[in-house]
Amino acid sequence: MAEIIDTRIEPDRAIEKACAVLSGGEPVAIPTETVYGLAADATNADAISRIYEMKGRPRFNPLICHVSDMAMAEAHVTFDPISRRLAEAFWPGPLTLILPQRSEGTVHALASAGLDTLGIRMPEGFSRRVIARFGQPLAAPSANTSGKISPTSAAHVEADLGAKLKLILDAGPAEIGLESTILKVEDGRLRLLRPGGLDAAEIEALTGLPVERPEAAGATIEAPGMLPSHYAPGAAVRLNATDVHTGEALIRFGGKALPGENAAALVLDLSPSGDLREAAANLFDYMKKADASGARTIAFSPVPSEGLGEAILDRMQRAAAPRN
Ligand code: TXA
Ligand code: MG
């Protein structure tokens, strides 16, 4: 069983223990501002293999490498001018950049699944302190079994992977609650590979350039992890619900009751006041609660598509997609 250390109570012991486990080539669950990550030494092939094994993750799906400062990033990737501006503006934070790897870089090819690019980001919060102390980038996917809902608390991680893990660092609920936005700059064009915790409109405001969405979802899988079915709860999922069927769990938004709610198994509101940030932070936890209610179907009422709504809707659609 995993040991759980509360980073708010024992920050120093948390860092020391995490670094010891990482040095031994074992993964550690760490809190980032987006979701909890399953982190391992990105330069150690055995350690990275353990991540893929623990998650049951296909090995063609590359991992994001997490760094604590620009110098660490620059040891492994090269920045074009636009990517550099984005990193300077939004790091530490929920933005992953896909950048060419340096030949001198020491991230193992297993982490990038053999690609010549690397997904890289500088996380906010306690995980950054762990990376700084460890002194090497940490490869970290979300700390959940592949295809399942990403964890936004240490308890989520424990329930899913606790039996396989040595150590979970607990920093409380993840602030943002959605994975990072993934962006690739190509020939001066900004391509959104995954909507996430950084609103694409903020990227457009900084650069003055449009953020291009893929033409059709799933047309080409640019971020290999973006399989249509992901974030799958056990229950079936019904989108755009305007009423509730008997026995369904309802996840709604904006404090507005739906017809039929009194026959629902459970009613949760992502943000009664209609705040998309609050909704993002609650989404995965509420999906897990709705699933645990035993309802056979989870109904989602509509959420606005602007701002963080884009990433929230993306996760809801993936939860509803036919399971692979
Ligand atoms: O917020 C996050 O990004 C969290 C926390 C832990 O940092 N991590 C996360 O990792 O969501 P994961 O493994 O669940 O998703 C990583 C995504 C996958 O869709 C993967 O295909 C894509 O990033 N990716 C990684 N490296 C890539 C690369 N070189 N080119 C294209 N896509 C890449
Ligand atoms: Mg994931």
Side-chain angles (χ1 to χ4, degrees), residues 30 32-38 55 57 60-66 94 96-99 101 111-112 115-121 123 140-144 150 178-182 184 193-194 221-227 230-231:
I30 58 169
T32 87
E33 80 282 39
T34 58
V35 299
Y36 276 67
L38 184 63
K55 282 183 63 89
R57 178 178 175 115
F60 59 79
N61 187 0
L63 307 174
I64 294 171
C65 288
H66 298 68
T96 294
L97 295 167
I98 306 298
L99 295 171
Q101 292 195 56
S112 56
L115 300 174
D116 52 14
T117 54
L118 198 62
I120 191 163
R121 84 175 186 103
S142 49
N144 53 279
S150 295
L178 292 175
E179 299 86 349
S180 59
T181 297
I182 305 182
K184 187 173 188 180
L193 303 194
R194 175 175 77 182
I221 298 178
E222 271 285 346
M226 298 303 283
L227 303 168
H230 211 80
Y231 312 96

Side-chain angles (χ1 to χ4, degrees), residues 72-124:
M72 193 185 283
E74 271 166 319
H76 302 281
V77 293
T78 55
F79 285 82
D80 60 274
I82 298 173
S83 295
R84 182 177 297 279
R85 272 191 73 203
L86 290 166
E88 283 166 358
F90 297 118
W91 283 0
L95 173 67
T96 294
L97 295 167
I98 306 298
L99 295 171
Q101 292 195 56
R102 268 187 201 286
S103 51
E104 312 84 359
T106 52
V107 169
H108 196 275
L110 256 185
S112 56
L115 300 174
D116 52 14
T117 54
L118 198 62
I120 191 163
R121 84 175 186 103
M122 189 193 297
E124 180 80 81

Side-chain angles (χ1 to χ4, degrees), residues 85-86 89-90 94-95 181-183 190-192 194-213 276-277 305-311:
R85 272 191 73 203
L86 290 166
F90 297 118
L95 173 67
T181 297
I182 305 182
L183 194 80
L190 310 187
R191 304 190 31 237
L192 184 69
R194 175 175 77 182
L198 177 65
D199 180 353
E202 288 196 49
I203 296 171
E204 295 184 330
L206 181 90
T207 58
L209 297 168
V211 168
E212 298 175 24
R213 274 73 173 174
L276 286 167
R277 278 183 192 280
S305 59
E306 74 265 15
L308 285 184
E310 182 178 14

Side-chain angles (χ1 to χ4, degrees), residues 156-322:
H156 292 163
V157 180
E158 190 187 19
D160 186 356
L161 299 175
K164 300 178 183 170
L165 273 168
K166 278 201 172 142
L167 180 65
I168 299 171
L169 301 188
D170 179 2
E175 241 169 81
I176 292 178
L178 292 175
E179 299 86 349
S180 59
T181 297
I182 305 182
L183 194 80
K184 187 173 188 180
V185 179
E186 241 171 2
D187 305 323
R189 295 168 66 176
L190 310 187
R191 304 190 31 237
L192 184 69
L193 303 194
R194 175 175 77 182
L198 177 65
D199 180 353
E202 288 196 49
I203 296 171
E204 295 184 330
L206 181 90
T207 58
L209 297 168
V211 168
E212 298 175 24
R213 274 73 173 174
E215 274 153 41
T220 52
I221 298 178
E222 271 285 346
M226 298 303 283
L227 303 168
S229 169
H230 211 80
Y231 312 96
V237 171
R238 191 163 71 85
L239 300 177
N240 298 315
T242 50
D243 62 356
V244 192
H245 305 168
T246 303
E248 283 183 337
L250 172 66
I251 301 182
R252 61 162 149 85
F253 175 80
K256 215 172 127 246
L258 267 60
E261 274 194 7
N262 42 8
L266 178 72
V267 177
L268 296 166
D269 199 312
L270 291 169
S271 172
S273 68
D275 175 352
L276 286 167
R277 278 183 192 280
E278 183 185 24
N282 286 328
L283 178 67
F284 292 150
D285 187 47
Y286 286 8
M287 282 168 65
K288 284 172 187 277
K289 288 199 167 105
D291 214 14
S293 75
R296 288 175 57 195
T297 304
I298 303 173
F300 286 102
S301 74
V303 167
S305 59
E306 74 265 15
L308 285 184
E310 182 178 14
I312 294 171
L313 288 168
D314 172 81
R315 303 308 187 269
M316 288 179 178
Q317 276 151 11
R318 285 176 207 285

